[in-house]
Amino acid sequence: DALSTVQLQSLQRNVAYQLARAYRNQALAYPPGSPDFVNSLTQALEKPDAVAEIEVADDVIWRAKLDRAVCLRFLGKLSAASGPLAEVLESGRDDAPAAIVARGRGEELRLLLAAGQLREAIEAVEKRSGGAADTGEIRNHHPAAGDYDLARVEVYLAAWQAANKTGRTEESQGWQRKAVALVAAIERDHGPYWMRRAEMLLASTIGGAGEGDVAALRR
Protein backbone atom coordinates (compact mmCIF):
# COMPACT_ATOMS: atom_id res chain seq x y z
CA ASP A 1 0.00 0.00 0.00
CA ALA A 2 1.11 3.55 -0.72
CA LEU A 3 2.33 5.67 2.19
CA SER A 4 0.13 8.59 3.21
CA THR A 5 1.37 12.17 3.01
CA VAL A 6 1.83 12.28 6.77
CA GLN A 7 3.83 9.04 6.71
CA LEU A 8 6.03 10.32 3.88
CA GLN A 9 6.70 13.55 5.77
CA SER A 10 7.60 11.56 8.88
CA LEU A 11 9.96 9.39 6.83
CA GLN A 12 11.55 12.49 5.30
CA ARG A 13 12.17 13.98 8.75
CA ASN A 14 13.71 10.75 10.01
CA VAL A 15 16.02 10.43 7.00
CA ALA A 16 17.22 14.04 7.41
CA TYR A 17 17.83 13.49 11.13
CA GLN A 18 19.73 10.20 10.67
CA LEU A 19 21.90 11.71 7.94
CA ALA A 20 22.75 14.62 10.24
CA ARG A 21 23.70 12.14 12.98
CA ALA A 22 25.97 10.32 10.51
CA TYR A 23 27.79 13.58 9.70
CA ARG A 24 28.13 14.39 13.41
CA ASN A 25 29.63 10.97 14.15
CA GLN A 26 31.93 11.33 11.13
CA ALA A 27 33.21 14.60 12.61
CA LEU A 28 34.24 12.80 15.79
CA ALA A 29 36.61 10.64 13.74
CA TYR A 30 38.69 13.74 12.90
CA PRO A 31 40.93 15.87 15.14
CA PRO A 32 38.89 18.65 16.81
CA GLY A 33 39.20 21.92 14.94
CA SER A 34 40.55 20.32 11.75
CA PRO A 35 38.97 21.27 8.37
CA ASP A 36 37.35 17.82 8.07
CA PHE A 37 35.96 18.12 11.60
CA VAL A 38 34.43 21.52 10.86
CA ASN A 39 33.13 20.43 7.46
CA SER A 40 31.32 17.37 8.83
CA LEU A 41 29.73 19.35 11.66
CA THR A 42 28.68 22.07 9.22
CA GLN A 43 26.92 19.47 7.09
CA ALA A 44 25.34 17.98 10.21
CA LEU A 45 23.92 21.41 11.03
CA GLU A 46 22.64 22.02 7.51
CA LYS A 47 20.80 18.74 7.01
CA PRO A 48 18.22 18.92 9.79
CA ASP A 49 17.66 22.70 9.60
CA ALA A 50 14.19 22.32 8.17
CA VAL A 51 13.41 19.50 10.59
CA ALA A 52 14.36 21.45 13.72
CA GLU A 53 12.30 24.45 12.64
CA ILE A 54 9.02 22.52 12.32
CA GLU A 55 6.62 23.50 15.10
CA VAL A 56 5.26 20.02 15.76
CA ALA A 57 5.48 17.90 18.90
CA ASP A 58 7.48 15.13 17.27
CA ASP A 59 10.28 13.10 18.89
CA VAL A 60 12.53 13.48 15.84
CA ILE A 61 12.18 17.25 15.89
CA TRP A 62 13.17 17.41 19.57
CA ARG A 63 16.16 15.14 18.94
CA ALA A 64 17.17 17.37 16.02
CA LYS A 65 17.05 20.46 18.22
CA LEU A 66 19.20 18.78 20.87
CA ASP A 67 21.71 17.48 18.32
CA ARG A 68 21.95 20.98 16.86
CA ALA A 69 23.03 22.24 20.28
CA VAL A 70 25.64 19.46 20.49
CA CYS A 71 27.11 20.29 17.07
CA LEU A 72 27.30 24.00 17.87
CA ARG A 73 29.09 23.19 21.12
CA PHE A 74 31.63 21.07 19.24
CA LEU A 75 32.24 24.05 16.94
CA GLY A 76 32.79 26.33 19.95
CA LYS A 77 29.64 28.35 19.24
CA LEU A 78 28.44 28.18 22.82
CA SER A 79 26.03 31.12 22.76
CA ALA A 80 24.33 29.75 19.66
CA ALA A 81 24.14 26.28 21.26
CA SER A 82 22.23 27.64 24.24
CA GLY A 83 19.26 28.57 22.01
CA PRO A 84 18.11 25.13 20.82
CA LEU A 85 19.06 23.63 24.18
CA ALA A 86 16.82 26.12 25.99
CA GLU A 87 13.96 25.19 23.66
CA VAL A 88 14.27 21.59 24.84
CA LEU A 89 14.74 22.28 28.55
CA GLU A 90 12.10 24.99 28.82
CA SER A 91 9.45 23.11 26.86
CA GLY A 92 8.17 21.28 29.92
CA ARG A 93 7.51 17.58 30.39
CA ASP A 94 4.17 17.82 28.57
CA ASP A 95 5.94 18.86 25.40
CA ALA A 96 9.44 17.45 24.83
CA PRO A 97 9.67 13.74 25.79
CA ALA A 98 11.18 13.06 29.22
CA ALA A 99 14.08 11.14 27.66
CA ILE A 100 14.99 14.15 25.49
CA VAL A 101 14.81 16.49 28.49
CA ALA A 102 17.08 14.13 30.47
CA ARG A 103 19.64 14.12 27.64
CA GLY A 104 19.27 17.89 27.51
CA ARG A 105 20.24 18.09 31.18
CA GLY A 106 23.45 16.23 30.35
CA GLU A 107 24.14 18.57 27.44
CA GLU A 108 23.50 21.52 29.78
CA LEU A 109 26.34 20.28 32.00
CA ARG A 110 28.68 19.84 29.03
CA LEU A 111 27.86 23.33 27.75
CA LEU A 112 28.67 24.83 31.16
CA LEU A 113 32.00 22.97 31.22
CA ALA A 114 32.82 24.13 27.69
CA ALA A 115 32.15 27.71 28.80
CA GLY A 116 34.48 27.32 31.78
CA GLN A 117 31.60 27.56 34.25
CA LEU A 118 32.66 24.70 36.50
CA ARG A 119 31.02 26.08 39.64
CA GLU A 120 27.68 26.41 37.85
CA ALA A 121 28.02 22.86 36.50
CA ILE A 122 28.67 21.52 40.02
CA GLU A 123 25.65 23.42 41.34
CA ALA A 124 23.48 21.98 38.55
CA VAL A 125 24.61 18.45 39.44
CA GLU A 126 23.94 18.98 43.13
CA LYS A 127 20.52 20.41 42.34
CA ARG A 128 19.61 17.19 40.54
CA SER A 129 21.61 14.78 42.66
CA GLY A 130 19.08 12.02 41.93
CA GLY A 131 20.36 11.78 38.35
CA ALA A 132 18.24 11.67 35.21
CA ALA A 133 15.60 9.63 36.99
CA ASP A 134 14.23 12.77 38.63
CA THR A 135 12.40 13.59 35.41
CA GLY A 136 9.87 11.17 36.85
CA GLU A 137 9.74 8.92 33.81
CA ILE A 138 13.32 7.88 33.10
CA ARG A 139 14.33 4.59 34.63
CA ASN A 140 17.95 3.73 35.38
CA HIS A 141 18.33 1.40 32.41
CA HIS A 142 17.19 4.05 29.92
CA PRO A 143 20.00 5.43 27.68
CA ALA A 144 19.06 8.99 28.63
CA ALA A 145 19.83 8.21 32.27
CA GLY A 146 23.20 6.72 31.29
CA ASP A 147 24.09 9.80 29.24
CA TYR A 148 23.18 12.17 32.07
CA ASP A 149 25.25 10.21 34.59
CA LEU A 150 28.17 10.19 32.14
CA ALA A 151 27.93 13.99 32.01
CA ARG A 152 28.05 14.00 35.82
CA VAL A 153 31.32 12.03 35.64
CA GLU A 154 32.68 14.72 33.30
CA VAL A 155 31.81 17.40 35.86
CA TYR A 156 33.48 15.49 38.72
CA LEU A 157 36.62 14.95 36.66
CA ALA A 158 36.74 18.62 35.66
CA ALA A 159 36.48 19.52 39.35
CA TRP A 160 39.27 17.03 40.11
CA GLN A 161 41.49 18.62 37.46
CA ALA A 162 40.86 22.12 38.81
CA ALA A 163 41.64 21.12 42.40
CA ASN A 164 44.66 19.03 41.40
CA LYS A 165 46.11 21.85 39.28
CA THR A 166 46.12 24.25 42.24
CA GLY A 167 47.48 21.71 44.72
CA ARG A 168 44.28 21.25 46.72
CA THR A 169 45.08 17.61 47.42
CA GLU A 170 42.27 16.77 49.83
CA GLU A 171 39.65 18.35 47.59
CA SER A 172 41.00 16.64 44.47
CA GLN A 173 40.92 13.27 46.24
CA GLY A 174 37.29 13.90 47.19
CA TRP A 175 36.29 14.56 43.58
CA GLN A 176 38.23 11.50 42.48
CA ARG A 177 36.32 9.32 44.96
CA LYS A 178 33.02 10.77 43.74
CA ALA A 179 33.93 10.02 40.13
CA VAL A 180 34.95 6.43 40.90
CA ALA A 181 31.80 5.85 42.96
CA LEU A 182 29.65 7.20 40.14
CA VAL A 183 31.36 4.88 37.63
CA ALA A 184 30.49 1.96 39.91
CA ALA A 185 26.87 3.17 40.04
CA ILE A 186 26.83 3.46 36.24
CA GLU A 187 28.06 -0.13 35.97
CA ARG A 188 25.27 -1.25 38.29
CA ASP A 189 22.46 0.85 36.85
CA HIS A 190 23.25 1.23 33.14
CA GLY A 191 25.35 -1.75 32.08
CA PRO A 192 28.71 -2.32 30.32
CA TYR A 193 28.30 0.20 27.48
CA TRP A 194 28.00 3.24 29.74
CA MET A 195 30.48 1.78 32.22
CA ARG A 196 33.15 1.51 29.51
CA ARG A 197 32.56 5.09 28.39
CA ALA A 198 32.88 6.28 31.98
CA GLU A 199 36.04 4.22 32.48
CA MET A 200 37.56 5.75 29.36
CA LEU A 201 36.98 9.19 30.87
CA LEU A 202 38.76 8.10 34.04
CA ALA A 203 41.62 6.61 32.04
CA SER A 204 42.12 9.75 29.94
CA THR A 205 41.93 12.11 32.93
CA ILE A 206 43.16 10.55 36.16
CA GLY A 207 45.16 7.73 34.56
CA GLY A 208 46.66 10.13 32.04
CA ALA A 209 48.01 12.23 34.90
CA GLY A 210 49.74 9.20 36.38
CA GLU A 211 47.78 9.61 39.59
CA GLY A 212 44.83 8.04 41.36
CA ASP A 213 43.97 5.71 44.19
CA VAL A 214 43.74 1.95 43.68
CA ALA A 215 40.02 2.01 42.78
CA ALA A 216 40.55 4.73 40.17
CA LEU A 217 43.61 3.09 38.63
CA ARG A 218 41.82 -0.30 38.48
CA ARG A 219 39.02 1.32 36.48
Side-chain angles (χ1 to χ4, degrees):
D1 294 334
L3 295 174
S4 68
T5 300
V6 172
Q7 289 172 324
L8 286 169
Q9 289 173 339
S10 177
L11 177 61
Q12 184 180 36
R13 289 198 297 271
N14 271 282
V15 169
Y17 171 69
Q18 296 298 340
L19 183 57
R21 284 191 67 213
Y23 279 121
R24 191 192 76 178
N25 288 331
Q26 182 186 58
L28 299 180
Y30 300 121
S34 67
D36 287 329
F37 178 84
V38 173
N39 179 60
S40 292
L41 286 175
T42 301
Q43 293 189 74
L45 286 168
E46 290 173 352
K47 296 301 177 184
D49 261 354
V51 177
E53 295 302 320
I54 298 174
E55 298 296 332
V56 182
D58 184 298
D59 282 14
V60 174
I61 294 168
W62 288 115
R63 289 199 299 270
K65 289 180 184 293
L66 184 55
D67 279 10
R68 183 173 184 80
V70 173
C71 288
L72 288 168
R73 173 171 61 84
F74 284 152
L75 287 170
K77 300 179 180 181
L78 306 185
S79 296
S82 64
L85 180 59
E87 289 184 53
V88 173
L89 296 181
E90 296 172 8
S91 64
R93 284 173 53 189
D94 294 332
D95 204 343
I100 301 297
V101 174
R103 280 187 56 215
R105 293 299 178 196
E107 179 57 24
E108 180 182 37
L109 297 178
R110 294 180 176 109
L111 192 58
L112 288 171
L113 290 179
Q117 296 177 294
L118 177 58
R119 182 179 299 276
E120 289 81 355
I122 293 171
E123 290 174 355
V125 168
E126 292 174 345
K127 181 180 177 182
R128 300 182 180 85
S129 58
D134 46 13
T135 60
E137 298 179 22
I138 303 299
R139 298 183 181 276
N140 279 340
H141 64 268
H142 195 285
D147 183 68
Y148 177 72
D149 280 344
L150 186 67
R152 291 172 63 202
V153 173
E154 293 175 39
V155 172
Y156 291 159
L157 290 177
W160 173 84
Q161 286 179 312
N164 193 53
K165 186 176 181 180
T166 54
R168 291 172 283 155
T169 305
E170 186 174 343
E171 183 181 342
S172 69
Q173 290 174 346
W175 288 117
Q176 183 182 135
R177 287 192 294 270
K178 281 192 172 185
V180 174
L182 183 51
V183 173
I186 287 173
E187 179 180 15
R188 180 189 67 241
D189 295 336
H190 308 309
Y193 170 79
W194 294 105
M195 178 199 70
R196 289 300 182 197
R197 291 191 62 178
E199 285 183 333
M200 287 171 66
L201 283 174
L202 279 178
S204 63
T205 307
I206 295 175
E211 299 179 13
D213 59 21
V214 173
L217 292 174
R218 183 177 66 82
R219 288 288 180 183

